[in-house]
Amino acid sequence: LPQESRSLLKTLQTTPWVNTDGERSILEALLSRFSHFALMESAGRDCLVTALSQTVHTLPGEISTEEALYRVPSFTAGFMTHYRMSVEKLEPGSYTLTMHPAGDVFAPDVLFVHGILRGLLGVFGIPKPDMALSRCPVDVPGLAAGEKSGPTAVISIRLPVSEESSETRVTYD
């Protein structure tokens, strides 16, 4: 790692938080050196599973897939403060999640959110949801973007209508 990233990592022993620029410098150094992008998506999925296991007692007894998708922006806010997110239902079974950055879109963040969505939909028994990066201003390795424009990243999600219906629910004990 570059010296500035090593120094920043040393401060993590006493300070549990790193600002966005510091986090980016560490991630860029690590990701440029290793086969990395699949790890960012896995980290998102693992964060979701860990957070769900710690908060399951505070969740409603039942929740539909659609309700869970609408909770993604507030859930990810616990991990990422650089983005404001919104979920929009386009038609039955079709949604978009838009990432509105405070600055620039950062490819590892898009993969992290992609992993959160995969993990969430996996909890609902949808192991391979139809998700695509429909718009993103930066290249995201492993995810082809339909449009490379605008300041936001947009992930399109298509669910089988039977999976999306309000009758599809997960019950927590």
Side-chain angles (χ1 to χ4, degrees):
L1 290 175
Q3 181 57 40
E4 66 186 51
S5 295
R6 278 187 267 155
S7 299
L8 188 57
L9 284 173
K10 286 180 184 177
T11 65
L12 285 176
Q13 294 172 3
T14 57
T15 308
W17 182 79
V18 175
N19 67 28
T20 302
D21 293 334
E23 179 183 277
R24 282 188 179 193
S25 72
I26 292 169
L27 280 175
E28 285 172 349
L30 290 173
L31 299 179
S32 67
R33 197 155 184 220
F34 301 102
S35 175
H36 57 288
F37 285 98
L39 293 174
M40 290 307 298
E41 187 170 350
S42 294
R45 187 189 64 241
D46 293 348
C47 281
L48 173 109
V49 171
T50 301
L52 281 179
S53 69
Q54 294 172 353
T55 60
V56 99
H57 64 283
T58 64
L59 296 173
E62 290 187 340
I63 187 168
S64 70
T65 308
E66 181 173 333
E67 290 169 323
L69 284 173
Y70 284 124
R71 290 175 186 224
V72 167
S74 61
F75 177 76
T76 56
F79 299 105
M80 307 170 78
T81 58
H82 185 69
Y83 296 89
R84 184 177 49 82
M85 296 190 201
S86 59
V87 175
E88 181 181 2
K89 182 176 183 176
L90 304 176
E91 60 186 45
S94 181
Y95 302 84
T96 60
L97 181 133
T98 304
M99 299 172 65
H100 307 272
D104 296 328
V105 172
F106 189 46
D109 293 340
V110 175
L111 285 166
F112 183 79
V113 170
H114 199 264
I116 285 175
L117 289 169
R118 281 206 184 282
L120 177 68
L121 295 172
V123 167
F124 280 84
I126 307 167
K128 295 192 178 203
D130 182 8
M131 294 190 337
L133 187 58
S134 53
R135 185 176 65 224
C136 190
V138 298
D139 289 325
V140 180
L143 298 178
E147 242 182 89
K148 194 169 178 174
S149 64
T152 61
V154 178
I155 299 172
S156 299
I157 307 157
R158 279 201 82 52
L159 303 175
V161 175
S162 62
E163 297 291 348
E164 179 271 338
S165 74
S166 59
E167 290 139 25
T168 304
R169 304 183 82 73
V170 169
T171 303
Y172 297 98
D173 292 333

